[in-house]
Amino acid sequence: MAPKKPASSKPSAKRGAGSRQIPTQKGKEGVSRSPGTKTAARSAQRGAKRAPKSGTADLNNKVKPVKKLPSKALAVTRVAINRAPVLTLWAAVVAEGLGHTEASALTFGKAVAQLAAIGKGRGLGLMGPPQSGKSGGDRNGLPGKQRIVPLCGMNIAVVKTPQGLRAQAQGTPLDPYKVSLYLTKAFGESLPAVHEAFRELASSLSKSELRDSAFSVYEKIRPSVDKGVAGWGQKGTLDLRRVLNMARGK
């Protein structure tokens, strides 16, 4: 009986025709690596540096609705738009002027516009009266236990969140990122110019004027629309020259 041959130390798997064996290199610890390993590792490290940490992808922290432009760069002078986004943006700028963060201010501005629309809708008979049976509310029909922030002559119900103060709508905090998208869609390419003009106008007013007269200022700059039901949701012309003239005392 012939003795068995010792087991070969070489791998028994055969390479197919045309296959290539990737040459390897030894690293510092003698571990075999393919030539592309270092490059792949470096790419992975770079990717890891760019990746956001867990929990930082909150949309509320990505609020950058407009680019700030110098007044001399304003090319837009007239904007066809309805009143709701104009009041939203103006109230947000006023809130920032009163010391609130941009994210909080965006939600406050949206809440002001919503309350104004409700008030006008009821005045025109397009909306029913406030629900009865609620006691302790303020003049806007808000529950008495909610925290209130006065803005543009209205009382805004707000709640404190981990990201800061947020205005509420039907008990739910408003999302500043969604308000930002709403303004971008409403104003389009004219948003930076309008935002800068509103900021200049707000900066020309004292804090007491912002607190007490912001809505009166809005009434002077808002787009003109037809009176009554015909003007509901109608587009008018926002004249930025008028806004800037008011800001500059002309």
Side-chain angles (χ1 to χ4, degrees):
M1 187 173 180
K4 294 182 179 180
K5 294 182 179 180
S8 174
S9 59
K10 297 181 179 180
S12 58
K14 294 182 179 180
R15 293 195 298 261
S19 65
R20 295 178 56 197
Q21 183 177 8
I22 298 176
T24 60
Q25 298 174 350
K26 289 189 177 182
K28 292 181 179 180
E29 288 78 21
V31 179
S32 296
R33 300 175 181 173
S34 63
T37 302
K38 289 184 178 181
T39 303
R42 289 171 183 165
S43 297
Q45 289 175 355
R46 286 195 296 268
K49 290 180 180 179
R50 296 191 192 105
K53 295 181 181 179
S54 176
T56 61
D58 181 8
L59 292 179
N60 292 346
N61 294 327
K62 296 181 178 179
V63 180
K64 292 196 179 292
V66 295
K67 296 179 180 178
K68 187 172 181 180
L69 300 176
S71 298
K72 64 182 180 180
L74 293 175
V76 178
T77 58
R78 298 168 68 86
V79 181
I81 194 167
N82 61 47
R83 288 178 172 179
V86 174
L87 179 54
T88 299
L89 182 57
W90 170 244
V93 170
V94 171
E96 279 193 85
L98 292 173
H100 296 285
T101 66
E102 183 180 35
S104 296
L106 284 168
T107 67
F108 294 2
K110 184 65 174 176
V112 165
Q114 288 175 340
L115 290 174
I118 291 171
K120 183 175 181 180
R122 287 174 179 157
L124 295 173
L126 300 175
M127 296 182 182
Q131 294 181 1
S132 60
K134 292 184 179 180
S135 59
D138 64 11
R139 66 187 179 90
N140 290 319
L142 300 172
K145 291 184 178 180
Q146 290 181 330
R147 183 174 178 180
I148 301 300
V149 171
L151 182 65
C152 292
M154 303 179 196
N155 294 324
I156 309 303
V158 303
V159 63
K160 189 174 183 180
T161 72
Q163 292 78 33
L165 291 178
R166 298 290 183 266
Q168 297 184 92
Q170 298 179 342
T172 303
L174 293 172
D175 185 344
Y177 183 68
K178 290 182 179 179
V179 180
S180 169
L181 293 179
Y182 162 75
L183 292 173
T184 300
K185 182 178 180 179
F187 284 97
E189 294 181 354
S190 64
L191 178 56
V194 178
H195 196 190
E196 179 61 22
F198 281 7
R199 277 177 165 165
E200 184 169 335
L201 177 56
S203 66
S204 71
L205 303 173
S206 66
K207 285 198 172 183
S208 62
E209 289 173 320
L210 289 176
R211 282 191 297 267
D212 301 334
S213 306
F215 195 82
S216 297
V217 173
Y218 160 73
E219 290 179 318
K220 295 177 182 178
I221 63 174
R222 67 187 179 184
S224 297
V225 298
D226 293 337
K227 293 182 179 180
V229 177
W232 180 259
Q234 186 182 60
K235 285 188 176 182
T237 299
L238 174 64
D239 190 343
L240 293 187
R241 291 171 299 184
R242 182 190 303 172
V243 175
L244 293 174
N245 285 340
M246 287 180 62
R248 296 162 188 174
K250 295 181 181 180

